[in-house]
Amino acid sequence: MILKVSTSLLLLFLINSVWTRTVRQVYDDLDPEHWSHYTSECPQECFCPPSFPNALYCDNKGLKEIPAIPARIWYLYLQNNLIETLSEKPFVNATHLRWINLNKNKITNNGIENGVLSKLKRLLYLFLEDNELEEVPAPLPMSLEQLRLARNKISRIPEGVFSNLENLTMLDLHQNSLLDSALQSDTFQGLNNLMQLNIAKNELKKMPLSIPANTLQLFLDNNSIEVIPENYFSAIPKVTFLRLNYNKLSDDGIPPNGFNVSSILDLQLSHNQLTKIPPINAHLEHLHLDHNKIKNVNGTQICPVSIALEEDYGYYGNIPRLRYLRLDGNEIQPPIPLDIMICFRLLQAVVI
């Protein structure tokens, strides 16, 4: 089955396409006569591919320290090492860095020299996943577009750490140790262009406060959230993808029209404690409700528009757009009720 590509996925695809063209232009324009020069200044612990002179590959080398980075480097790969500290010295000449991958090292907050990151004025992508961080590092460069901090030990977000990151589009904090108290009303202040926020696999019991208004993708899987506050999504009117799988949501924890939100195209509520399908909007395209406690499905009740009215308008009217419905792992017995098919005429797959 071919599923519709969402607006946010299309945007990410276009961003990656532009990024790829930029990278190619950098080394396609390079004079081969200069390759020997670039190779000679390459740190001996690392690899400098002649066809990609702006990249430095120091991954999987057992490094405990970062070598001196040549001035020409834009893309720095340091993942899968034993690095514990980030000091200013290796980056003195690296004023053009756009991308740093430090995943799977042993970096702690105490090991990050004050100001070392904020001095990288052109940095766009910073990867610090699978390290030993206990709080979001600060200060960060204002140029940053993606910050990936998954699988650390982060339990604290310093006040104002994101206040100047207006260019940030992706913030990944999943699989850390964040409690509700770590997410204050001003925690995400300043993230005016954020598109994706991932706080899955933490220790939240409540929906986080003050999500940036432009957020398109919100991932909150694998927490302990029990309640959706009334009108919660009115503050994030562009949210398109919403994942709340593996939480503790029950029927009583969802307001009557909690998920009846026109912007949401993909709603995931798998592995919760729901006994009925909550009201949805006619714009919703994908609905995941598997592994709840739902016993039966009444198409007339869950249909976001009147079935009689829908028949009057016909195929080209305001019919529900649901294309994918997952209900397996509940207590529902087949066959699929006929009124489901009458309401959701665009359904391409139902898993029951």
Side-chain angles (χ1 to χ4, degrees):
M1 178 182 67
I2 300 176
L3 300 180
K4 180 177 179 181
V5 178
S6 73
T7 303
S8 52
L9 288 178
L10 180 58
L11 285 172
L12 292 176
F13 172 77
L14 292 174
I15 290 170
N16 288 333
S17 298
V18 172
W19 183 271
T20 302
R21 288 196 298 271
T22 303
V23 170
R24 287 178 177 171
Q25 184 178 2
V26 167
Y27 64 76
D28 285 348
D29 293 343
L30 181 68
D31 187 346
E33 293 181 2
H34 296 156
W35 287 356
S36 60
H37 166 70
Y38 288 120
T39 303
S40 65
E41 67 173 3
C42 182
Q44 63 179 5
E45 309 96 325
C46 307
F47 172 60
C48 299
S51 60
F52 197 179
N54 295 92
L56 182 60
Y57 290 87
C58 308
D59 50 309
N60 298 289
K61 302 294 184 181
L63 299 179
K64 294 185 178 180
E65 296 181 350
I66 299 174
I69 310 303
R72 73 175 191 275
I73 298 303
W74 286 25
Y75 312 101
L76 178 58
Y77 298 88
L78 289 160
Q79 66 268 30
N80 292 300
N81 281 294
L82 303 171
I83 298 168
E84 296 181 359
T85 60
L86 293 181
S87 62
E88 184 177 343
K89 185 177 179 180
F91 299 102
V92 169
N93 296 319
T95 57
H96 295 282
L97 276 174
R98 265 57 166 188
W99 174 303
I100 300 178
N101 189 333
L102 279 159
N103 291 346
K104 295 186 178 180
N105 278 282
K106 297 182 180 296
I107 299 169
T108 64
N109 289 96
N110 290 334
I112 300 177
E113 186 176 328
N114 187 39
V116 61
L117 293 172
S118 62
K119 292 178 180 178
L120 302 174
K121 303 295 186 181
R122 302 185 182 183
L123 193 65
L124 302 177
Y125 291 64
L126 178 58
F127 297 73
L128 280 165
E129 299 178 343
D130 295 285
N131 277 278
E132 305 291 331
L133 299 174
E134 295 183 355
E135 64 180 50
V136 175
L140 293 164
M142 296 173 60
S143 56
L144 212 57
E145 293 182 1
Q146 287 194 17
L147 178 59
R148 299 176 184 247
L149 299 170
R151 295 179 298 278
N152 277 275
K153 302 175 182 178
I154 296 173
S155 61
R156 181 173 176 268
I157 301 178
E159 184 178 355
V161 67
F162 302 127
S163 60
N164 293 320
L165 302 187
E166 292 189 359
N167 296 311
L168 200 71
T169 60
M170 175 189 286
L171 175 58
D172 191 345
L173 289 162
H174 89 268
Q175 200 165 333
N176 278 284
S177 302
L178 292 170
L179 298 169
D180 295 318
S181 57
L183 305 180
Q184 300 298 315
S185 59
D186 59 351
T187 295
F188 301 113
Q189 185 175 348
L191 299 179
N192 298 328
N193 290 298
L194 195 71
M195 290 177 18
Q196 184 184 105
L197 177 59
N198 192 340
I199 327 179
K201 294 187 177 181
N202 278 277
E203 300 175 26
L204 304 180
K205 295 183 178 180
K206 299 178 181 179
M207 295 292 285
L209 300 172
S210 300
I211 300 297
N214 285 319
T215 302
L216 295 174
Q217 300 177 332
L218 179 59
F219 303 148
L220 292 164
D221 315 75
N222 292 89
N223 281 285
S224 299
I225 297 171
E226 299 180 358
V227 176
I228 306 294
E230 190 82 33
N231 299 319
Y232 181 84
F233 299 106
S234 61
I236 42 176
K238 297 181 181 180
V239 63
T240 303
F241 283 86
L242 178 61
R243 291 197 335 217
L244 280 159
N245 303 319
Y246 292 95
N247 276 282
K248 297 182 179 180
L249 289 171
S250 64
D251 302 328
D252 293 336
I254 300 176
N257 284 295
F259 296 120
N260 187 0
V261 181
S262 61
S263 65
I264 298 178
L265 302 182
D266 190 299
L267 176 59
Q268 300 190 18
L269 298 169
S270 304
H271 294 271
N272 277 280
Q273 301 172 12
L274 302 175
T275 64
K276 59 184 180 182
I277 298 177
I280 59 175
N281 193 273
H283 291 89
L284 187 68
E285 296 183 2
H286 303 127
L287 178 59
H288 298 247
L289 286 165
D290 55 286
H291 298 90
N292 277 275
K293 300 179 180 180
I294 301 170
K295 294 183 178 180
N296 56 71
V297 181
N298 186 314
T300 302
Q301 291 180 354
I302 68 171
C303 192
V305 300
S306 167
I307 291 180
L309 185 62
E310 181 182 343
E311 290 176 345
D312 290 339
Y313 277 104
Y315 185 82
Y316 296 101
N318 186 29
I319 64 173
R321 300 178 186 176
L322 194 68
R323 288 168 167 78
Y324 180 87
L325 176 61
R326 184 170 178 183
L327 292 166
D328 56 305
N330 284 284
E331 301 175 31
I332 304 169
Q333 299 296 321
I336 301 168
L338 179 60
D339 52 4
I340 290 284
M341 308 309 296
I342 294 174
C343 173
F344 301 107
R345 300 185 185 185
L346 301 182
L347 265 177
Q348 297 175 358
V350 180
V351 184
I352 193 169

